[in-house]
Structures are given as structure tokens and as C-alpha cells.
Amino acid sequence: MPLPEALFSAQQINIPPELPDILKQFTKAAIKTQPCDVLQWAAGYFSALSKGEPLPVKERIEMPSAVEETDTSLTPGFLQVLHQQLSPKGTVSVTELKEKWRNLCLPDEQLEVILQLDDFGEEVEWMKFLALGCSTLGESLLNSVKIACKILTTEPGPAAPITFETFSFLYSYLANIDGEIAEEEREAFLHRIKEQADQQSGMVLLRNFLTQPSVLF
């Protein structure tokens, strides 16, 4: 009985010319993002790649502190990835948010805690979720707004400028959730910030509010 012909030969195996670059970019993305579950994250990565959607990739490696060394919870870098993926839609379904969240290997219970901070239904206004996500990362209202500015700015750097309208929304929303600052004080604070923003083409810089009375944060 004659031996069967080889199933594959060098001529039969077709390697797409773009495959090496795809694998190279995937490897670099995994190194920058450092997912705790590479398989789960890879599924989200290639799903987004096939659909032409923003990839679940951090801009740079986040160096954890000694306390966070084994932590797999939300970080500013992960929140920025979610912002890149979901902010263009304005309002997102909880189902899609959960999918993107799990693709980053983040704990479901932390997402539930954030969602319970407001009366969300099946749809989530992204900017509100971003603000609440920042509030879980910052130890104070000041730190929460600082994190949001660094995520939202289009000019990375120490100034982290964002529009006054965006700053006003974030601050007012988080201050209302917090409930510790009187409305008159909030309005007076925002008035001072707007005066400074008007001198910066309507942009709020980090240093604009770092010098404000700490009671407002």
C-alpha cells in the first residue's frame, strides 16, 4: 500500500505577509498592557482588531506600587483604555461596558460598585462613568479630577488642559455625588475657575485649581 502524500508542504502553507507585523504589534501591546489573563485579553484584542475598533491597549506600562504589585483592579491606564473604546458613543449599554471591562481582566465586583454609585439603568452616560471611575482611584475630589484631566486632555503634560465645560461637568457631578460641599461654595469655585479659563482660551489647566481652597475638594 503506497504511503499517503504529505498533507502539507512548503508550497501548500501560505503565510499572510501581514502576519508577522500583526504578531509583533500584539506582543508590544501585551507588554504595555500587562493583562493578568492574556487569553481573555487577547480575545478582546483580536475582536477589536477585526472590527476596526480601538484596541484594549495602554499607552505605556504602568509601574505598580508595592501595594498594587499583585492587584488586578482598575488603574488610570485601564480607565483611559476604556475611555478610548467607549467615549465616542457617548452613551453605552451596560452589556457592552461589561464586555470591555472583562476583556481588560478587571474584577466584576469593582464594576458593580461603580455602577451602584449612580442610578444607572441599562444605559450608561460615559462621562459620568468616567468621573465615577476616577473617584474610585482618587483619595479626594481633587485627585479624582486630576486623574480625569490627565485622561481627557489632548495635550499630555503637567498642565493637562481640558475645556471649562468638561471640567465644570466633572467637578459638579462628583461634588453632587459626594454631597459634602455646599452649592454656593461650588458655584463660587467654578466662577473663579472660569475667570482663569477665559484667560487660557477657555481651557482649564491643572495649576488653575491646585491652588484653590482644599475645602472644595
Side-chain angles (χ1 to χ4, degrees), residues 57-78:
V57 181
K58 292 182 182 179
E59 291 187 354
R60 61 186 65 84
I61 296 177
E62 287 184 289
M63 302 306 294
S65 66
V67 176
E68 300 171 328
E69 190 171 355
T70 59
D71 192 17
T72 59
S73 61
L74 186 65
T75 66
F78 281 132

Side-chain angles (χ1 to χ4, degrees), residues 74-88:
L74 186 65
T75 66
F78 281 132
L79 190 54
Q80 185 172 37
V81 171
L82 290 169
H83 178 69
Q84 293 168 347
Q85 293 181 307
L86 298 174
S87 63

